[in-house]
Amino acid sequence: MTKDASQDAISAVLDDVAATLACLDGDDAAAISDLANRLALLTGEIEAPAQREMVARAGKKLRKVADGTAKVPSESLAAARRLVAAATGCPALEGEVSGTVEAEVDDAGAWEPNPGSATEPESFDGAPNSSTSSEAPSVSTTGDTAVVETPADALDNDPELVHEFVSEAHEYLTAAERALLVLEATPDDRPAIDTVFRAFHTVKGVAAVLGFSQIAELAHRAESLLIPVREGKARFGTGYANLALRAVDMIRSLVERAGVMAQGVPLSIPGGYAPLMAALDAPVGPDEAPTPGARVDPNEHEPVEKAPAPADAPPGAASTAETWVRVRTDRLDQLMDIVGELVIAQAMLSSDGLLASEHGRELSRKVALAGKTVRELHDLSLALRMVPLRGTFQKMARVVRDTARRVGRHVEFTTDGEETEIDRKLVDALADPLVHMVRNAVDHGIEPADDRVASGKPAGGTVRMRAYHAGGNVMVELSDDGRGLDKDKLVARAIEKGLVEPGATLSEQEAFQLIFEPGFSTAKTVTDVSGRGVGMDVVRRAIESLSGRVDIASTPGRGTTFMVRIPLTLAITDGMLVRVGAERYIVPTANIRITLRPDASSLKTVSGRGELVVLRGEAIPMFRLGRVFGVPGAVDDPTQGLVVIVGEEHSCSALLVDDLLGKQQVVTKSLGGFIGRVPGVSGGAILGDGRVGLIVDPDALIALARQAA
């Protein structure tokens, strides 16, 4: 669409809005709200500063009338009519707008001048004029951060609107970041270019409506940067990618600050804002291609504080907007807590002795029906907390890209299973350890290009991330095709660090686990990426805090695979309640394959120590739960007890228990800081009779039993 055609379309919309406004009164809140939404969308399409500001102010006036927050609705409605009428007659600003000052009615009915409308024009290439003289908030500087005196327009914003802006901006920025990484690999990907433009354009428009001028200006310049690429006049290369990704990071940081500002905190501008704005005005070599093997200066730009990665969802199109509702996460957490208490209450009711009496049959039927409803409610509330790992995987793609440039590697990042869902709280907690693992894979795992070629490998390395469900757990695998782990070198380094006694004999897995020890590092020099010996230690502690574990498989010269296993959720567990002596334990049903009472012919003993139970011709190691936990009074003869087969198809073990008490849904509770972490136990739960049962972690329990054997 040409510039004239675009202006004609804008004028047509404004004419329609003006005509509708003329027929409305202040009581039709729905119609006024609809007009406010139309003007908000239109603001993002208008390039002329004066016209854009008039439309934005009119939309804000209408929004206040629709929400019932206008002090004098009739005056605000009249002011909106005048602003729309003025914007309808506003020229396309092909020339200069000089000295335009609108008089506007405020909510109290007094006339006040609008000093922000005297603005220099934009140039037609989309770049802002360097001589722009719009209303500028005062700025005070503290260290590397500038504290901006918040404009009155921004202070007047409804906190709910700001919260919605922050949420939507994160989604658009996430989509833009993903598209920029695609563009760096395939510069001619037109849909990716359009995605980036749409993101910057939308954030710019909404930020302008809400009065966040710094965000709007930065988004505008970032949008303008890519105009030559969109028009086919330049090829998207490393220079464009670096600047655009820096802009995404800076906008994300500013958006996060805008959300805090809604709580009364002044808007602060990161120290890298001004240099980035200058770089966007005069980009250096945006069409340069990456130089093979080039070392990138890690200090080439100032870091920007990253905002937390949001649960990723594509910006909703108009056709699907009605199917999405935004819900605050604290309300979801509150819902889950209430459902958890309901599950406990249901368990207590189901175990009431009255139900087993002759007069309790009808009541028992009703309790069973209520239990079915509680279970359905639990499943639904659990599904509400589930989010895909797509956003986390995208964040890792950015980490791979930036780390590879810093250490001078060529690395391709591939993913599988991005749609695997996991509890939202686990997604947030999983991101940091994955960042450490990815940086480790790129820096330590992938060899320099010359070394790879000399060993018969491609010059570029590959890092692959894969996620999938395994029983009641989520598996996240991170693999690389690099140098792999050398057991002898790891042991020698551990001896040098004093972590292992000289002459000690370690298995391959024990040697691999050394990399998780505090202070252990195989890096010869300390850099800003690695070498301090703290990253992998953080990984293990973080994963274990989620009741998970990390396993390693590696072949020297071929690569390494890290396998992270974490539970699907930490909230509610479906478990089998078992008795051992006088104690009761809960075994997650997702880990159970089968239960049986063994006969004497199926029981075997190896070397007088290890016990086996033979099931369908397969010898399965058996461990006595009572012996592992030291429970007195547990069944000694396996034929008098029951065996619970747990694990996966090719890695099963048997747990000997006294009896099965039934299947039960329980709310997982932490054991607390006083008790701390108990080997083989993932948490506790309140049972139907009010007693506490320990939730067994089968994998950790079996590992504990093997160590004790």
Side-chain angles (χ1 to χ4, degrees), residues 578-585 611 622-636 642 654-659 696 701 704-705:
V578 302
R579 181 179 61 82
V580 179
E583 303 296 333
R584 285 175 291 178
Y585 298 91
E611 294 180 291
M622 184 179 72
F623 304 98
R624 298 170 181 258
L625 199 58
R627 190 173 295 174
V628 174
F629 286 136
V631 180
V635 167
D636 188 60
L642 291 171
L655 300 178
L656 177 63
V657 301
D658 293 10
D659 196 11
V696 171
L701 177 68
L704 179 65

Side-chain angles (χ1 to χ4, degrees), residues 100 105 142 168 240 301 382 405 514 635:
T100 306
V105 177
T142 304
E168 291 186 353
Y240 277 117
H301 64 272
L382 190 61
R405 294 185 67 246
L514 288 171
V635 167

Side-chain angles (χ1 to χ4, degrees), residues 39-108:
L39 291 180
L41 292 174
L42 187 62
T43 302
E45 304 294 330
I46 300 175
E47 294 185 357
Q51 188 180 35
R52 182 170 61 239
E53 186 173 28
M54 292 178 197
V55 173
R57 287 180 176 273
K60 287 181 62 178
K61 293 291 182 185
L62 293 177
R63 175 60 60 196
K64 286 186 176 183
V65 174
D67 294 344
T69 58
K71 296 177 182 177
V72 185
S74 59
E75 295 290 353
S76 294
L77 193 60
R81 291 192 186 105
R82 283 190 288 272
L83 286 166
V84 171
T88 304
C90 189
L93 297 184
E94 189 165 331
E96 181 178 321
V97 178
S98 58
T100 306
V101 179
E102 269 71 34
E104 181 181 336
V105 177
D106 69 359
D107 288 336

